[in-house]
């Protein structure tokens, strides 16, 4: 006959395996769970139309930050840009170095880069949907945790619906070589005009 209650001093350490636990049940822990890897936490989501920019000022300070962008298209076939934000505000000095590599389904390829710009580029020439295809760009941006005294950077990969109708795989990376303050936020904005639409979700990954 199965026992409904067993004293803890009657159970040897690590004696209960997963065959005796209901793995579909929810368990409440009041202490710290270790050894399970980093925790992936949704911090906030922004869904904007006709917006000149989208900013996150609440980056996680305990690890890497990841931003998922979807439903992206511009009002004027312009670049998709970024600037870092620190406790001193938006970093606007001309010390962003970025590079991007694109390969289209048509077999074409190109690169773009900025050296000493006052912004970084994620995508160049995002479609404004003028052709009526209604295909949006998307990407994942990773911002590694950087301690004070080091230059902030980001990198990522995405799908770019280009202004000329090309459908592109795009990879990108960038760094701000002048600031060494801790990054607390990021501003995303088009090179001209507004975002016709953008949905962006910020996640923090504990380390």
């Amino acid at each position: 006959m199965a026992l409904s209650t067993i004293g803890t001093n009657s159970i040897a350490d690590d004696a209960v395996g997963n065959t005796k636990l209901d793995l579909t049940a929810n368990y409440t822990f009041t202490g710290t769970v270790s050894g399970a890897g980093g925790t992936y936490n949704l911090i906030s989501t922004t869904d904007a139309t006709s917006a000149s920019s989208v900013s996150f000022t609440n980056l996680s300070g305990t690890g890497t930050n990841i931003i998922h962008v979807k439903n992206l298209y511009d009002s004027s076939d312009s670049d998709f840009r970024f600037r870092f934000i620190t406790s001193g505000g938006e970093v606007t000095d001309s010390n962003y170095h970025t590079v991007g590599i694109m390969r289209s389904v048509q077999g074409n390829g190109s690169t773009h880069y900025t050296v000493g710009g006052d912004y970084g580029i994620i995508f160049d020439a995002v479609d404004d949907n003028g052709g009526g295809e209604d295909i949006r760009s998307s990407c994942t941006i990773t911002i590694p945790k950087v301690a004070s005294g080091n230059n902030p950077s980001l990198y990522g990969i995405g799908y770019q619906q280009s202004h000329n109708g090309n459908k592109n795989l795009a990879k990108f990376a960038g760094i701000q070589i002048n600031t060494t303050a801790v990054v607390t936020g990021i501003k995303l904005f088009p090179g001209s005009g507004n975002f016709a639409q953008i949905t962006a979700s910020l996640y923090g990954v504990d380390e």
Side-chain angles (χ1 to χ4, degrees):
M1 182 178 65
L3 299 176
S4 60
T5 303
I6 302 175
T8 56
N9 59 353
S10 301
I11 305 174
D13 291 344
D14 302 321
V16 180
N18 59 9
T19 59
K20 297 299 182 183
L21 296 174
D22 182 358
L23 301 183
T24 65
N26 296 319
Y27 297 92
T28 300
F29 295 92
T30 57
T32 299
V33 180
S34 61
T39 303
Y40 197 77
N41 303 304
L42 174 62
I43 297 175
S44 61
T45 294
T46 296
D47 191 354
T49 57
S50 300
S52 60
S53 66
V54 168
S55 294
F56 291 104
T57 58
N58 52 344
L59 297 190
S60 169
T62 60
T64 295
N65 288 272
I66 296 174
I67 301 172
H68 294 305
V69 176
K70 62 181 181 179
N71 298 328
L72 169 64
Y73 71 103
D74 289 346
S75 63
S76 58
D77 281 344
S78 60
D79 300 336
F80 182 30
R81 302 178 178 181
F82 75 92
R83 286 186 179 133
F84 289 120
I85 298 170
T86 69
S87 59
E90 185 179 336
V91 181
T92 60
D93 64 76
S94 299
N95 285 283
Y96 287 90
H97 291 212
T98 56
V99 63
I101 301 173
M102 178 275 292
R103 188 72 177 177
S104 75
V105 296
Q106 289 82 4
N108 305 315
S110 66
T111 60
H112 65 81
Y113 62 91
T114 60
V115 178
D118 64 355
Y119 57 85
I121 294 179
I122 296 172
F123 291 151
D124 60 344
V126 174
D127 191 22
D128 66 355
N129 199 39
E133 291 184 285
D134 199 27
I135 302 175
R136 315 297 172 85
S137 298
S138 60
C139 66
T140 297
I141 305 166
T142 300
I143 308 171
K145 179 183 177 181
V146 178
S148 177
N150 295 279
N151 300 121
S153 63
L154 61 70
Y155 62 91
I157 189 170
Y159 168 76
Q160 177 197 16
Q161 178 68 15
S162 185
H163 70 103
N164 58 9
N166 282 355
K167 297 161 178 55
N168 308 324
L169 165 70
K171 299 179 180 180
F172 52 88
I175 190 170
Q176 221 294 344
I177 64 170
N178 189 49
T179 186
T180 56
V182 173
V183 168
T184 58
I186 187 170
K187 176 182 177 180
L188 306 174
F189 60 102
S192 62
N194 294 326
F195 290 126
Q197 185 173 2
I198 182 173
T199 302
S201 297
L202 171 65
Y203 293 82
V205 183
D206 296 338
E207 297 177 355

